[in-house]
Amino acid sequence: MSSKHPSSAQAGVIRALPEVVRNQIAAGEVIERPASIVKELMENSLDAGATHVQVDLEEGGSMLVRVIDDGVGMNGADLMMAFESHATSKLREAGDLDHISSLGFRGEALASIGSVARCAIYSRPRGDDIGLRIENEGGRIQDPVDAGGPRGTTIEIRDLFYNTPARRRFLKRPSTELSRCLEVVQRMALGHLNVGFVATHNGKRNYDIEASMDLPARIRRTFGAELSESLVPVEADDGMFKIFGYVAPPRFARRDSARQMWFLNGRMVKDKVLVRVLKEAYRGYLDPGRQPVAFLHLSMDPALVDVNVHPAKAEVRFREDRRVFAFLLNSLRSAVAQTDMATPGEGLLRKALNRDGYVHHPGQGAIHDPGYLPRPSEGRPITEIREVPGKPYVGGGSFPVYGRPASALSEGDNATVGGGHAGLGTDAVGAGLLTDGAVDTLPGPFLQIDKTYIVRALPDGFEVIDQHALHERITYEGLLREVQNGSVEVQRLLVPEVVEVSRAEKALLEEHKDALAKIGIEIEPFGETAVALQGMPSRLRHPDPMGLVRDVAEILATTGKSPTAADVIEEVLHSAACRSSVMAGDALTDDAIRSILQRGKQLENDQTCPHSRPTRVRFTLGDLERAFHRK
Amino acid sequence: MKVLCDREKLREGLAIVNNVVPARSPKPILENVRVIVNDSSLQLIGTDLEVSVRYSIDDVKVGDPGVTVIPARVALDFIRDLTSETVTIDTNDNVCTITGGADSCELVTMDADEYPVTPTFEDKDTLTLQGGTFTRLVGQTAFAAAREAGRYAMHGVLITVQDDNLQMVATDGRRLALSSTPVQDVPADIPPAIVPTKGLQMFCRVIEDPLSNIKIKFGTNQIGMKTKHAEIFARLIDGDYPRYSEVIPTECKNSVEANTQMIERKLRLVANVTGDEARAVRLQITPGQMEFFGHSVGRGEAHAMMEIDYKGEGSDIAFNPDYVLDGMKNAERETVRLEFNDKTSPGKFSLGENYIYIVMPITVDV
């Protein structure tokens, strides 16, 4: 108890760390797990100009990560330097940082890896007949020896963290580490076209991309055909920036951003600006909180972007971020609008089948006992199926047939177009299809279910449309277009509608009077706790003046103190459009249905309602075939 | 109770009553028709508590007077599909047997005492006019009444009687129709009445001969009407009707006279292009000529010309074509007059001797 610090009288406690420990600490920044090694080594390979990169893994990469490339290779002197920290071939002076075009440049990776694992590098440069091999075991570097092998470089990393057990304990199960490694490989494969990639695990081939595959083919190989076939291309070039890639329909959006990939000059980045611009591009089509799926290559002069802000180089800083933002938003927004926003029926169909007590037996193959076949007619509470009056083959009436005479809509057409699968229980579906293929003339007939959903036959299936959602979108787009053109048609009122509001609401309404007038809502103060509505947008179908004013006041109150006119407009338009739209529960005639569909077709987007709910669900013949186990 | 009557007359009466009887009601008894047989006639009564109808059929053979309450829709459907000339209605305990020839049905009856009391028409202090005149006035005004939620008072037609004039007004806040007709022998102190359009439509439905007279009785909370066979009562809408007289322009800077049919045709023409979403058709008026112009962002634009009688400096105004067309359909004259002050003030169409139609313009901010 005499002294708490017995060593305090001796030499100073602060000492310089040996280099190995320095590198081990530095490794913590860059090397967290096998996947980080995969990333660093693959980047080196790509920087070395490889056209084919193979990644071999064992036990999720913790036992072995081997990266084999056919790049330029290294000679003896290079190999001696390779494990030195801050030694790199990619950068020579500080000025070079301003225009980095290689993936790596810090010269830390191999030194860091070498300090926490057993490494071996074999390399044969172009033109040399014989290669060299060098080994590094936890920082003890041996002299290179001659070795034979293919052209290029092979780096083997074994027993990761064998000398730092603390870190080793943080590794997850091999399957988890493997999936992280594969993710890296996949990203590389999507980011570096013209390069072939192979990944193996415990000797089994896991992933294979040929050098000749283009981006959609790579996406297809990586994420499947459904996604790759729904993609819409993006391509733009304004001289300064160039973007190329694909965006997916909103329905593919996920809670995580694993399938949102940005490549900046070939480098995978996760940048806030880019994430935001994509979110903005999907605005109105996507639930907030969901991440859209997109694969985008952005290229620009390396001098215009600073990639040296983050050790993993995931974040970047644009010299002209506003211009980048505007450029990207323009090109992305139009592509997003072109995506097919209908929800595919497959998932729904599966749910419907499950509801009917259908049990899926895996391993039972495609052909099931007929006993398991779904029987849609049983127990399904279809409350009311009503065929809309005026079906084409009902004689007389004033049913206008678009595109072809009523007599052509006969049973014969059912068979040809429906391919024999049109038997959906009602003759409404399957008749009057678009054999011509060219323009969708909305021939009908239409089937209205529960006065809410419209079913319509398509050449390759059928779709179910939510009438309210679609009409809401139509009204909204119309209003928006008028607002954007600065010309809202205002239906003036004969007698001003006096609406009682609170004092606070009245103050708000008065404050935003001009913004409201721009969107066709003309309000004048009227006493202390009321306003008089003088006019409202003529587009509103069943205007409810009192409800409209109250909605507006509510929106003004909830959107905060000083909402911009644009915010108010958007919100007000949404609720105004909702208020005046055909409601679920309105019985519609064929003509009304056709008119709604036709007006929807003229819009940029008729696939989601303004609240980004889908307006339609599409069932393809494939879905039906699957459901009936024909396939 | 036992009665024999003509099947077709009974069917007609039940059809009329069924117009009022609700298909589904929280009070199931309202889904029924009350059948009363007295010494010489058969009465059918239906009500939804807003509108009630009492329809009488004469020329019936009464076996046994009495009262019963039977399901209205079922009775109508069964009697409509019978093929016999005559029908017998016979009640026994809780069962009502309807027989036509060899066919019959037995309907469950309900307690007649539970059926709500419906008013009967008293011939005192009534207003008399021709059925056709009444129908015409309703047709010229009721279409303009409000349908959307809110402003309950505007869901009806305001009927006033003043200075030997019966006047009907309807508005939904964007257009207003006003039509009147002279009447004689007006009872004193008739209060203004806001009559629900459904009630008025029922009134018109039971007017069989436009030349025969009908009687109207104004009450404090209901209005009654009597034709040869039917008595109908409608509960009045309680509320303040907008003070419409102030918005009817008296003196106007611009006055245009034009052919009714031609206006209708040109409006339709232009409205084909503007569609039913963008709803403004602009009228550009110059001496001797009126140009119709409409455009829709997604579709295009349309122009139409017609000759008019106009002396002035030229002006323009835009309307919702649907609203104008609604008025033109009911115009009594071959030539109508449009008067207005400027593009933001009401347009007044004179469509007949005592028929005016006000349409508020659509303005476009630029």
Side-chain angles (χ1 to χ4, degrees), chain A residues 16-197:
Chain A
L17 290 171
E19 196 189 338
V20 173
V21 181
R22 282 213 301 272
N23 281 340
Q24 282 181 355
I25 292 170
E29 279 180 55
V30 205
I31 308 301
E32 286 174 350
R33 50 176 27 100
S36 347
I37 295 178
V38 173
K39 172 175 176 287
E40 296 295 338
L41 297 185
M42 286 180 82
E43 284 187 354
N44 283 347
S45 297
L46 293 165
D47 281 343
T51 59
H52 191 271
V53 180
Q54 176 165 348
V55 181
D56 296 330
L57 303 164
E58 279 174 25
E59 296 306 312
S62 58
M63 289 290 285
L64 170 73
V65 177
R66 185 195 295 131
V67 175
I68 304 163
D69 70 47
D70 57 356
V72 290
M74 289 177 278
N75 62 27
D78 291 337
L79 282 180
M80 292 297 286
M81 287 295 288
F83 289 115
E84 297 290 318
S85 67
H86 305 296
T88 181
S89 60
K90 302 166 187 177
L91 207 62
R92 299 203 180 274
E93 51 190 272
D96 291 349
L97 276 172
D98 291 335
H99 47 79
I100 292 168
S101 57
S102 59
L103 296 172
F105 55 84
R106 294 157 73 105
E108 281 180 323
L110 275 176
S112 304
I113 297 169
S115 65
V116 292
R118 297 189 171 97
C119 309
I121 306 180
Y122 154 82
S123 191
R124 177 159 72 87
R126 274 175 201 166
D128 286 13
D129 291 338
I130 199 156
L132 284 169
R133 184 178 166 91
I134 187 171
E135 286 184 12
N136 177 354
E137 224 180 278
R140 289 189 305 279
I141 305 168
Q142 277 140 27
D143 284 339
V145 292
D146 286 354
R151 188 174 63 79
T153 306
T154 300
I155 304 186
E156 273 181 17
I157 314 291
R158 291 185 182 275
D159 303 326
L160 179 63
F161 299 143
Y162 77 100
N163 54 356
T164 48
R167 303 201 70 91
R168 190 172 184 89
R169 249 176 272 129
F170 280 101
L171 292 182
K172 300 263 172 15
R173 280 176 300 150
S175 56
T176 314
E177 294 298 346
L178 171 67
S179 73
R180 291 198 173 153
C181 291
L182 285 176
E183 223 168 80
V184 171
V185 179
Q186 289 171 356
R187 280 181 191 167
M188 291 287 173
L190 294 174
H192 296 271
L193 309 178
N194 307 321
V195 181
F197 293 85

Side-chain angles (χ1 to χ4, degrees), chain B residues 181-233:
Chain B
T181 183
V183 282
Q184 289 158 2
D185 305 327
V186 178
D189 297 332
I190 293 179
I194 307 173
V195 188
T197 38
K198 184 186 172 188
L200 284 177
Q201 276 155 7
M202 273 310 294
F203 281 13
C204 296
R205 176 88 166 73
V206 296
I207 294 171
E208 291 157 34
D209 177 8
L211 295 178
S212 64
N213 282 341
I214 61 164
K215 286 180 178 163
I216 298 176
K217 172 137 183 114
F218 293 85
T220 47
N221 55 13
Q222 62 183 14
I223 182 170
M225 191 192 71
K226 189 177 180 184
T227 64
K228 192 176 167 202
H229 292 295
E231 291 173 17
I232 292 174
F233 282 86

Side-chain angles (χ1 to χ4, degrees), chain A residues 471 474-475 481-482 485-497 517-518 522 536 538-539 541-546 595 599 602, chain B residues 148-151 171 173-176 242-243 247 276-280 295 297-299 320 323 344 346 358 360-366:
Chain A
H471 193 250
I474 293 168
T475 316
R481 207 160 44 195
E482 285 191 353
N485 291 354
S487 64
V488 176
E489 291 179 351
V490 179
Q491 171 66 61
R492 305 193 70 82
L493 295 181
L494 203 58
V495 186
E497 180 76 22
K518 273 210 188 80
E522 296 184 0
M536 50 190 170
S538 65
R539 196 169 275 278
R541 228 182 157 71
H542 301 293
D544 166 10
M546 222 172 270
S595 129
R599 271 151 46 200
Q602 293 166 357
Chain B
E148 60 271 2
R151 303 228 259 186
T171 180
R174 286 151 292 174
R175 56 348 196 339
L176 177 145
R243 277 191 277 167
V247 299
D276 45 359
E277 286 296 309
R279 296 181 186 218
H295 84 125
V297 180
R299 297 175 183 229
N320 179 334
Y323 291 169
T344 62
I358 314 281
M360 285 307 284
I362 284 174
T363 52
V364 180
D365 287 336
V366 178

Side-chain angles (χ1 to χ4, degrees), chain B residues 255-304:
Chain B
S255 174
V256 176
E257 290 207 7
N259 180 281
T260 314
Q261 271 195 344
M262 196 60 90
I263 293 182
E264 217 177 328
R265 205 178 298 160
K266 301 288 181 184
L267 268 175
R268 259 186 232 289
L269 196 64
V270 173
N272 282 329
V273 176
T274 60
D276 45 359
E277 286 296 309
R279 296 181 186 218
V281 170
R282 206 171 79 221
L283 313 182
Q284 183 88 43
I285 294 151
T286 47
Q289 218 170 39
M290 178 152 72
E291 184 185 355
F292 296 72
F293 170 77
H295 84 125
S296 159
V297 180
R299 297 175 183 229
E301 52 184 66
H303 298 262

Side-chain angles (χ1 to χ4, degrees), chain B residues 75-90:
Chain B
L76 168 62
D77 290 347
F78 186 79
I79 288 164
R80 181 195 59 217
D81 291 345
L82 282 174
T83 46
S84 59
E85 285 275 306
T86 58
V87 172
T88 313
I89 303 175
D90 191 0

